[in-house]
Amino acid sequence: MTISPCRSSFFIEYKDLHQLLLAVQEKCYEQRSQQIVSISLAIDFIDPLVVLDKFAQKNTLNFYFENRSKGEAIVAIDAIKKLDISGQNRFHKTEEFIKDCLKNVINFGNINPVMGQPFAGTHFFCSFSFFDQHHYLDYPFSSATIFLPKLQVAVKNSSCTLVVNHLIHADINIQTILRELQDKIKTLQSLVKSSPNIEHSSANFIKTKINNADNFKYSVLSALEKIESKHLRKIVLADALDVKSYNSFNLFKSLNNLRHFHPNCYVFSISNGKGQNFIGASPERLISIQNQELITDALAGSAPRGKTPNEDAANANNLVNSTKEKHEHNLVIDFITQRLSQLGLFPQILAPRLRQLSNIQHLWTPITAVVPANVHPLKIVAQLHPTPAVAGADRDIACAEIRCYEKFERGLYAAPLGWVDAKGNCEFIVGIRSALIDGDRARLYAGAGIVAGSDPEKEFAEVQLKLQALLKALV
């Protein structure tokens, strides 16, 4: 057995791996097929944001996901398998794509969910747009993109796992694969004590509103009339802010700011391989499944944080006792429980609580369920998206109205973003409090839920509060 020359915990049993790769290659030759070898290794702790900074290229897909409060972060770089699709069947087609890929996966390393490394094994990274088709054809992301990465680094508390996926065929050079793996490990080893390469530049920028304040407030008034006439019960209206900087936005600086400003949120970044990135800090989890245990969030009903402890407590008290905010919140709870029940799950509603973020607080009710083995996570994502928290009620009517009111493409805003592994574990968030970055230009998105009793002035102020928090992280 030969050991790589790398020190510390970067050890690989190259003899075993070499033999496995040769055996897989022979099988590919005999069957005239391709196989995916997924190599999982424990490595020294590396900040996944540093890995993103080092390995990300404009012309490759990448995906970054972090939740500091859970001690988790994951980065995925480049793709060996990829699917871009649109249309009503995009979730089902994604599920079938993942299942087809998994038929050809051979694992190397300890992927036991109990004794093995966290985040070991194959993970598929997914981004879906809010609508299944784009109205604006120049929107730079697909309605659905799913990929299996070439390189993945993930941390869970103090553990760090490297996953390298290779496509094996009869003509592949096995020695080249082993050399490339050694090179990757050496590069990663050099990053162990590194921090993100963040250049500090002056924050000079120009803001351009997509809607002016009067237009947004008029939309709220119009929606309230439709709610009063029973045409719908709730609608979420989003607004967008265009920002042009005198310098290109520093993706890594923005992500680093987001994770420091919003440690209780999911910080994310998704690249389309064409130079654009969709980033944000979302407080809203769509679903998380670990060992068939599902948890989802009903998150709706909001109030600003106070400038003093007394004002903050008063705002929180007003929020939990507001008939209007509780009605908005209960619409989401009812929707989620009904939709999960339709899949044969038995949702359990946990005690309501407050989700207090740096500048805003929300009514929050976690909901749990046990997921049967025959229900794929993407069936649940398809069943829940979009919830009334980001669309409205009734959902189909609200979505049609959103298309009329909003004069921009939602794209990935308020849509499911996340990963799913070979065992049915997953984490999907809702892409709110987000921005589309393209060089020196950014479009920021935020929204507010409109129900009976909503006040146009307060809803406009809530949206501006969310936009300003995001703008602070970008610049």
Side-chain angles (χ1 to χ4, degrees), residues 91-115:
F91 295 107
H92 175 70
K93 289 179 180 178
T94 298
E95 179 184 342
E96 292 303 310
F97 169 76
I98 291 172
K99 288 179 177 178
D100 286 343
C101 287
L102 289 174
K103 292 175 185 176
N104 298 310
V105 170
I106 297 168
N107 289 293
F108 179 87
N110 188 357
I111 61 169
N112 183 292
V114 178
M115 303 299 294

PDB file of all heavy atoms in Angstrom, residues 91-115:
ATOM      1  N   PHE A  91     -39.487  18.853 -11.883  1.00  0.00           N
ATOM      2  CA  PHE A  91     -39.116  18.155 -10.647  1.00  0.00           C
ATOM      3  C   PHE A  91     -39.060  16.648 -10.878  1.00  0.00           C
ATOM      4  O   PHE A  91     -38.143  15.968 -10.408  1.00  0.00           O
ATOM      5  CB  PHE A  91     -40.091  18.498  -9.528  1.00  0.00           C
ATOM      6  CG  PHE A  91     -40.053  19.944  -9.116  1.00  0.00           C
ATOM      7  CD1 PHE A  91     -41.085  20.812  -9.448  1.00  0.00           C
ATOM      8  CD2 PHE A  91     -38.979  20.450  -8.400  1.00  0.00           C
ATOM      9  CE1 PHE A  91     -41.048  22.146  -9.077  1.00  0.00           C
ATOM     10  CE2 PHE A  91     -38.923  21.784  -8.023  1.00  0.00           C
ATOM     11  CZ  PHE A  91     -39.968  22.639  -8.367  1.00  0.00           C
ATOM     12  N   HIS A  92     -40.028  16.127 -11.618  1.00  0.00           N
ATOM     13  CA  HIS A  92     -40.046  14.689 -11.916  1.00  0.00           C
ATOM     14  C   HIS A  92     -38.841  14.311 -12.785  1.00  0.00           C
ATOM     15  O   HIS A  92     -38.186  13.290 -12.544  1.00  0.00           O
ATOM     16  CB  HIS A  92     -41.345  14.309 -12.620  1.00  0.00           C
ATOM     17  CG  HIS A  92     -41.399  12.875 -13.062  1.00  0.00           C
ATOM     18  ND1 HIS A  92     -41.495  11.827 -12.166  1.00  0.00           N
ATOM     19  CD2 HIS A  92     -41.330  12.314 -14.307  1.00  0.00           C
ATOM     20  CE1 HIS A  92     -41.495  10.679 -12.833  1.00  0.00           C
ATOM     21  NE2 HIS A  92     -41.395  10.955 -14.125  1.00  0.00           N
ATOM     22  N   LYS A  93     -38.546  15.132 -13.799  1.00  0.00           N
ATOM     23  CA  LYS A  93     -37.402  14.855 -14.670  1.00  0.00           C
ATOM     24  C   LYS A  93     -36.084  14.929 -13.889  1.00  0.00           C
ATOM     25  O   LYS A  93     -35.149  14.168 -14.159  1.00  0.00           O
ATOM     26  CB  LYS A  93     -37.381  15.837 -15.836  1.00  0.00           C
ATOM     27  CG  LYS A  93     -38.490  15.600 -16.856  1.00  0.00           C
ATOM     28  CD  LYS A  93     -38.438  16.627 -17.979  1.00  0.00           C
ATOM     29  CE  LYS A  93     -39.546  16.396 -19.003  1.00  0.00           C
ATOM     30  NZ  LYS A  93     -39.534  17.431 -20.074  1.00  0.00           N
ATOM     31  N   THR A  94     -36.026  15.820 -12.924  1.00  0.00           N
ATOM     32  CA  THR A  94     -34.844  15.908 -12.068  1.00  0.00           C
ATOM     33  C   THR A  94     -34.680  14.636 -11.248  1.00  0.00           C
ATOM     34  O   THR A  94     -33.576  14.082 -11.137  1.00  0.00           O
ATOM     35  CB  THR A  94     -34.955  17.127 -11.129  1.00  0.00           C
ATOM     36  OG1 THR A  94     -35.011  18.319 -11.904  1.00  0.00           O
ATOM     37  CG2 THR A  94     -33.766  17.201 -10.179  1.00  0.00           C
ATOM     38  N   GLU A  95     -35.770  14.180 -10.662  1.00  0.00           N
ATOM     39  CA  GLU A  95     -35.746  12.934  -9.894  1.00  0.00           C
ATOM     40  C   GLU A  95     -35.264  11.771 -10.761  1.00  0.00           C
ATOM     41  O   GLU A  95     -34.415  10.971 -10.345  1.00  0.00           O
ATOM     42  CB  GLU A  95     -37.146  12.647  -9.342  1.00  0.00           C
ATOM     43  CG  GLU A  95     -37.249  11.365  -8.543  1.00  0.00           C
ATOM     44  CD  GLU A  95     -38.671  11.072  -8.087  1.00  0.00           C
ATOM     45  OE1 GLU A  95     -39.516  12.005  -8.087  1.00  0.00           O
ATOM     46  OE2 GLU A  95     -38.947   9.904  -7.741  1.00  0.00           O
ATOM     47  N   GLU A  96     -35.770  11.666 -11.998  1.00  0.00           N
ATOM     48  CA  GLU A  96     -35.379  10.578 -12.883  1.00  0.00           C
ATOM     49  C   GLU A  96     -33.910  10.704 -13.290  1.00  0.00           C
ATOM     50  O   GLU A  96     -33.189   9.695 -13.381  1.00  0.00           O
ATOM     51  CB  GLU A  96     -36.267  10.579 -14.144  1.00  0.00           C
ATOM     52  CG  GLU A  96     -37.717  10.218 -13.871  1.00  0.00           C
ATOM     53  CD  GLU A  96     -37.853   8.862 -13.209  1.00  0.00           C
ATOM     54  OE1 GLU A  96     -37.259   7.888 -13.725  1.00  0.00           O
ATOM     55  OE2 GLU A  96     -38.544   8.771 -12.158  1.00  0.00           O
ATOM     56  N   PHE A  97     -33.444  11.932 -13.530  1.00  0.00           N
ATOM     57  CA  PHE A  97     -32.034  12.161 -13.866  1.00  0.00           C
ATOM     58  C   PHE A  97     -31.132  11.683 -12.735  1.00  0.00           C
ATOM     59  O   PHE A  97     -30.116  10.999 -12.967  1.00  0.00           O
ATOM     60  CB  PHE A  97     -31.813  13.654 -14.134  1.00  0.00           C
ATOM     61  CG  PHE A  97     -30.382  14.073 -14.244  1.00  0.00           C
ATOM     62  CD1 PHE A  97     -29.647  13.808 -15.394  1.00  0.00           C
ATOM     63  CD2 PHE A  97     -29.755  14.740 -13.200  1.00  0.00           C
ATOM     64  CE1 PHE A  97     -28.315  14.193 -15.496  1.00  0.00           C
ATOM     65  CE2 PHE A  97     -28.422  15.133 -13.292  1.00  0.00           C
ATOM     66  CZ  PHE A  97     -27.703  14.865 -14.441  1.00  0.00           C
ATOM     67  N   ILE A  98     -31.479  12.023 -11.510  1.00  0.00           N
ATOM     68  CA  ILE A  98     -30.675  11.615 -10.347  1.00  0.00           C
ATOM     69  C   ILE A  98     -30.671  10.098 -10.206  1.00  0.00           C
ATOM     70  O   ILE A  98     -29.611   9.481  -9.995  1.00  0.00           O
ATOM     71  CB  ILE A  98     -31.203  12.295  -9.071  1.00  0.00           C
ATOM     72  CG1 ILE A  98     -30.911  13.800  -9.125  1.00  0.00           C
ATOM     73  CG2 ILE A  98     -30.587  11.673  -7.822  1.00  0.00           C
ATOM     74  CD1 ILE A  98     -31.555  14.605  -8.015  1.00  0.00           C
ATOM     75  N   LYS A  99     -31.819   9.479 -10.338  1.00  0.00           N
ATOM     76  CA  LYS A  99     -31.900   8.014 -10.216  1.00  0.00           C
ATOM     77  C   LYS A  99     -31.087   7.323 -11.310  1.00  0.00           C
ATOM     78  O   LYS A  99     -30.405   6.320 -11.049  1.00  0.00           O
ATOM     79  CB  LYS A  99     -33.361   7.570 -10.272  1.00  0.00           C
ATOM     80  CG  LYS A  99     -34.158   7.910  -9.022  1.00  0.00           C
ATOM     81  CD  LYS A  99     -35.614   7.465  -9.155  1.00  0.00           C
ATOM     82  CE  LYS A  99     -36.404   7.743  -7.882  1.00  0.00           C
ATOM     83  NZ  LYS A  99     -37.833   7.366  -8.025  1.00  0.00           N
ATOM     84  N   ASP A 100     -31.137   7.856 -12.533  1.00  0.00           N
ATOM     85  CA  ASP A 100     -30.363   7.279 -13.639  1.00  0.00           C
ATOM     86  C   ASP A 100     -28.862   7.392 -13.365  1.00  0.00           C
ATOM     87  O   ASP A 100     -28.098   6.449 -13.631  1.00  0.00           O
ATOM     88  CB  ASP A 100     -30.713   7.966 -14.956  1.00  0.00           C
ATOM     89  CG  ASP A 100     -32.071   7.551 -15.494  1.00  0.00           C
ATOM     90  OD1 ASP A 100     -32.606   6.515 -15.037  1.00  0.00           O
ATOM     91  OD2 ASP A 100     -32.604   8.268 -16.375  1.00  0.00           O
ATOM     92  N   CYS A 101     -28.433   8.546 -12.853  1.00  0.00           N
ATOM     93  CA  CYS A 101     -27.010   8.725 -12.533  1.00  0.00           C
ATOM     94  C   CYS A 101     -26.566   7.747 -11.442  1.00  0.00           C
ATOM     95  O   CYS A 101     -25.489   7.135 -11.529  1.00  0.00           O
ATOM     96  CB  CYS A 101     -26.738  10.157 -12.080  1.00  0.00           C
ATOM     97  SG  CYS A 101     -26.791  11.395 -13.388  1.00  0.00           S
ATOM     98  N   LEU A 102     -27.397   7.582 -10.423  1.00  0.00           N
ATOM     99  CA  LEU A 102     -27.022   6.741  -9.284  1.00  0.00           C
ATOM    100  C   LEU A 102     -26.872   5.273  -9.661  1.00  0.00           C
ATOM    101  O   LEU A 102     -26.154   4.525  -8.987  1.00  0.00           O
ATOM    102  CB  LEU A 102     -28.051   6.898  -8.160  1.00  0.00           C
ATOM    103  CG  LEU A 102     -28.021   8.247  -7.425  1.00  0.00           C
ATOM    104  CD1 LEU A 102     -29.168   8.352  -6.437  1.00  0.00           C
ATOM    105  CD2 LEU A 102     -26.685   8.437  -6.704  1.00  0.00           C
ATOM    106  N   LYS A 103     -27.525   4.846 -10.738  1.00  0.00           N
ATOM    107  CA  LYS A 103     -27.371   3.458 -11.195  1.00  0.00           C
ATOM    108  C   LYS A 103     -25.933   3.162 -11.605  1.00  0.00           C
ATOM    109  O   LYS A 103     -25.511   1.992 -11.612  1.00  0.00           O
ATOM    110  CB  LYS A 103     -28.296   3.191 -12.391  1.00  0.00           C
ATOM    111  CG  LYS A 103     -29.780   3.200 -12.058  1.00  0.00           C
ATOM    112  CD  LYS A 103     -30.597   3.053 -13.339  1.00  0.00           C
ATOM    113  CE  LYS A 103     -32.093   3.174 -13.052  1.00  0.00           C
ATOM    114  NZ  LYS A 103     -32.898   3.126 -14.313  1.00  0.00           N
ATOM    115  N   ASN A 104     -25.189   4.201 -11.934  1.00  0.00           N
ATOM    116  CA  ASN A 104     -23.829   4.032 -12.453  1.00  0.00           C
ATOM    117  C   ASN A 104     -22.754   4.526 -11.493  1.00  0.00           C
ATOM    118  O   ASN A 104     -21.614   4.737 -11.900  1.00  0.00           O
ATOM    119  CB  ASN A 104     -23.694   4.769 -13.788  1.00  0.00           C
ATOM    120  CG  ASN A 104     -24.617   4.230 -14.854  1.00  0.00           C
ATOM    121  OD1 ASN A 104     -24.669   3.025 -15.075  1.00  0.00           O
ATOM    122  ND2 ASN A 104     -25.376   5.106 -15.492  1.00  0.00           N
ATOM    123  N   VAL A 105     -23.103   4.724 -10.221  1.00  0.00           N
ATOM    124  CA  VAL A 105     -22.143   5.249  -9.247  1.00  0.00           C
ATOM    125  C   VAL A 105     -21.505   4.111  -8.454  1.00  0.00           C
ATOM    126  O   VAL A 105     -22.195   3.211  -7.968  1.00  0.00           O
ATOM    127  CB  VAL A 105     -22.821   6.240  -8.280  1.00  0.00           C
ATOM    128  CG1 VAL A 105     -21.881   6.600  -7.129  1.00  0.00           C
ATOM    129  CG2 VAL A 105     -23.225   7.511  -9.020  1.00  0.00           C
ATOM    130  N   ILE A 106     -20.186   4.171  -8.331  1.00  0.00           N
ATOM    131  CA  ILE A 106     -19.435   3.252  -7.479  1.00  0.00           C
ATOM    132  C   ILE A 106     -18.686   4.109  -6.463  1.00  0.00           C
ATOM    133  O   ILE A 106     -17.949   5.032  -6.835  1.00  0.00           O
ATOM    134  CB  ILE A 106     -18.452   2.410  -8.305  1.00  0.00           C
ATOM    135  CG1 ILE A 106     -19.235   1.526  -9.295  1.00  0.00           C
ATOM    136  CG2 ILE A 106     -17.575   1.549  -7.399  1.00  0.00           C
ATOM    137  CD1 ILE A 106     -18.370   0.876 -10.338  1.00  0.00           C
ATOM    138  N   ASN A 107     -18.871   3.817  -5.181  1.00  0.00           N
ATOM    139  CA  ASN A 107     -18.300   4.642  -4.119  1.00  0.00           C
ATOM    140  C   ASN A 107     -16.978   4.080  -3.615  1.00  0.00           C
ATOM    141  O   ASN A 107     -16.792   2.867  -3.508  1.00  0.00           O
ATOM    142  CB  ASN A 107     -19.282   4.742  -2.946  1.00  0.00           C
ATOM    143  CG  ASN A 107     -20.493   5.587  -3.275  1.00  0.00           C
ATOM    144  OD1 ASN A 107     -20.380   6.795  -3.464  1.00  0.00           O
ATOM    145  ND2 ASN A 107     -21.650   4.962  -3.360  1.00  0.00           N
ATOM    146  N   PHE A 108     -16.068   4.992  -3.311  1.00  0.00           N
ATOM    147  CA  PHE A 108     -14.814   4.654  -2.658  1.00  0.00           C
ATOM    148  C   PHE A 108     -14.690   5.536  -1.422  1.00  0.00           C
ATOM    149  O   PHE A 108     -14.772   6.767  -1.515  1.00  0.00           O
ATOM    150  CB  PHE A 108     -13.626   4.890  -3.595  1.00  0.00           C
ATOM    151  CG  PHE A 108     -12.292   4.579  -2.968  1.00  0.00           C
ATOM    152  CD1 PHE A 108     -11.775   3.297  -3.014  1.00  0.00           C
ATOM    153  CD2 PHE A 108     -11.554   5.563  -2.332  1.00  0.00           C
ATOM    154  CE1 PHE A 108     -10.552   3.002  -2.437  1.00  0.00           C
ATOM    155  CE2 PHE A 108     -10.330   5.288  -1.743  1.00  0.00           C
ATOM    156  CZ  PHE A 108      -9.820   3.992  -1.794  1.00  0.00           C
ATOM    157  N   GLY A 109     -14.480   4.900  -0.265  1.00  0.00           N
ATOM    158  CA  GLY A 109     -14.408   5.656   0.978  1.00  0.00           C
ATOM    159  C   GLY A 109     -15.554   5.273   1.896  1.00  0.00           C
ATOM    160  O   GLY A 109     -16.474   4.543   1.506  1.00  0.00           O
ATOM    161  N   ASN A 110     -15.518   5.791   3.099  1.00  0.00           N
ATOM    162  CA  ASN A 110     -16.518   5.442   4.112  1.00  0.00           C
ATOM    163  C   ASN A 110     -17.714   6.371   3.977  1.00  0.00           C
ATOM    164  O   ASN A 110     -17.660   7.536   4.362  1.00  0.00           O
ATOM    165  CB  ASN A 110     -15.903   5.556   5.507  1.00  0.00           C
ATOM    166  CG  ASN A 110     -16.848   5.022   6.581  1.00  0.00           C
ATOM    167  OD1 ASN A 110     -17.979   4.613   6.293  1.00  0.00           O
ATOM    168  ND2 ASN A 110     -16.381   5.020   7.814  1.00  0.00           N
ATOM    169  N   ILE A 111     -18.816   5.860   3.428  1.00  0.00           N
ATOM    170  CA  ILE A 111     -20.025   6.673   3.262  1.00  0.00           C
ATOM    171  C   ILE A 111     -21.134   6.214   4.191  1.00  0.00           C
ATOM    172  O   ILE A 111     -22.286   6.576   4.023  1.00  0.00           O
ATOM    173  CB  ILE A 111     -20.523   6.656   1.802  1.00  0.00           C
ATOM    174  CG1 ILE A 111     -20.890   5.232   1.364  1.00  0.00           C
ATOM    175  CG2 ILE A 111     -19.490   7.265   0.869  1.00  0.00           C
ATOM    176  CD1 ILE A 111     -21.633   5.182   0.043  1.00  0.00           C
ATOM    177  N   ASN A 112     -20.781   5.385   5.188  1.00  0.00           N
ATOM    178  CA  ASN A 112     -21.768   4.952   6.183  1.00  0.00           C
ATOM    179  C   ASN A 112     -22.332   6.172   6.900  1.00  0.00           C
ATOM    180  O   ASN A 112     -21.579   6.983   7.440  1.00  0.00           O
ATOM    181  CB  ASN A 112     -21.105   4.010   7.201  1.00  0.00           C
ATOM    182  CG  ASN A 112     -22.091   3.467   8.221  1.00  0.00           C
ATOM    183  OD1 ASN A 112     -22.592   4.217   9.046  1.00  0.00           O
ATOM    184  ND2 ASN A 112     -22.356   2.180   8.151  1.00  0.00           N
ATOM    185  N   PRO A 113     -23.676   6.356   6.924  1.00  0.00           N
ATOM    186  CA  PRO A 113     -24.242   7.577   7.483  1.00  0.00           C
ATOM    187  C   PRO A 113     -24.032   7.725   8.984  1.00  0.00           C
ATOM    188  O   PRO A 113     -24.105   8.827   9.513  1.00  0.00           O
ATOM    189  CB  PRO A 113     -25.744   7.440   7.158  1.00  0.00           C
ATOM    190  CG  PRO A 113     -25.968   5.978   6.964  1.00  0.00           C
ATOM    191  CD  PRO A 113     -24.702   5.428   6.407  1.00  0.00           C
ATOM    192  N   VAL A 114     -23.745   6.608   9.682  1.00  0.00           N
ATOM    193  CA  VAL A 114     -23.549   6.673  11.134  1.00  0.00           C
ATOM    194  C   VAL A 114     -22.073   6.828  11.470  1.00  0.00           C
ATOM    195  O   VAL A 114     -21.665   7.722  12.210  1.00  0.00           O
ATOM    196  CB  VAL A 114     -24.140   5.418  11.813  1.00  0.00           C
ATOM    197  CG1 VAL A 114     -23.887   5.468  13.326  1.00  0.00           C
ATOM    198  CG2 VAL A 114     -25.631   5.307  11.521  1.00  0.00           C
ATOM    199  N   MET A 115     -21.242   5.926  10.905  1.00  0.00           N
ATOM    200  CA  MET A 115     -19.820   5.911  11.249  1.00  0.00           C
ATOM    201  C   MET A 115     -18.964   6.710  10.273  1.00  0.00           C
ATOM    202  O   MET A 115     -17.815   7.024  10.568  1.00  0.00           O
ATOM    203  CB  MET A 115     -19.317   4.460  11.277  1.00  0.00           C
ATOM    204  CG  MET A 115     -20.074   3.566  12.243  1.00  0.00           C
ATOM    205  SD  MET A 115     -19.937   4.131  13.966  1.00  0.00           S
ATOM    206  CE  MET A 115     -18.187   3.887  14.250  1.00  0.00           C
TER     207      MET A 115
END
